[in-house]
Amino acid sequence: MKNTSDKHVAMEWDRITDYIIIGTNLCCNAHVEGLYAIGIEADIDLEETRSHEPMDIAASLWLPTIDKQAPTMDQLLAGTAMLGQLEKRRK
């Protein structure tokens, strides 16, 4: 697990592929800058309620999901469609 830290809570994440990471939420634009530095330019947020305003990131998708519950089939389809397009564009 890698971390980028700033004045706020450190962002924790794991790399899934060259262009996909999974981790904690983006609480501020300092986290976005850290993601840009490693080539990540999009965010898929699965939090049930938005804990922040949309960050200054190239692409963002919010799929509100209840904690400890699976996303709906529509959410899975939307999320995988976005991931597929981002992978093709290497974002």
Side-chain angles (χ1 to χ4, degrees):
M1 186 174 302
K2 298 181 181 182
N3 296 312
T4 59
S5 62
D6 62 331
K7 295 177 186 175
H8 303 288
V9 176
M11 183 178 170
E12 296 181 354
W13 54 271
D14 288 305
R15 188 171 291 279
I16 306 301
T17 72
D18 287 344
Y19 300 100
I20 298 174
I21 63 170
I22 188 169
T24 55
N25 75 339
L26 302 173
C27 72
C28 62
N29 276 320
H31 289 165
V32 174
E33 292 168 13
L35 292 177
Y36 277 146
I38 60 169
I40 304 296
E41 300 180 7
D43 175 48
I44 298 176
D45 184 350
L46 297 175
E47 291 180 292
E48 181 179 7
T49 56
R50 285 193 83 89
S51 60
H52 54 77
E53 291 298 314
M55 296 291 127
D56 186 19
I57 195 157
S60 180
L61 177 63
W62 178 40
L63 302 171
T65 305
I66 299 170
D67 281 348
K68 301 182 188 289
Q69 298 287 320
T72 67
M73 185 56 69
D74 286 341
Q75 290 172 318
L76 288 172
L77 292 171
T80 55
M82 183 173 175
L83 284 172
Q85 289 301 311
L86 292 167
E87 278 277 308
K88 285 180 187 175
R89 295 178 38 233
R90 300 189 190 288
K91 300 289 181 184

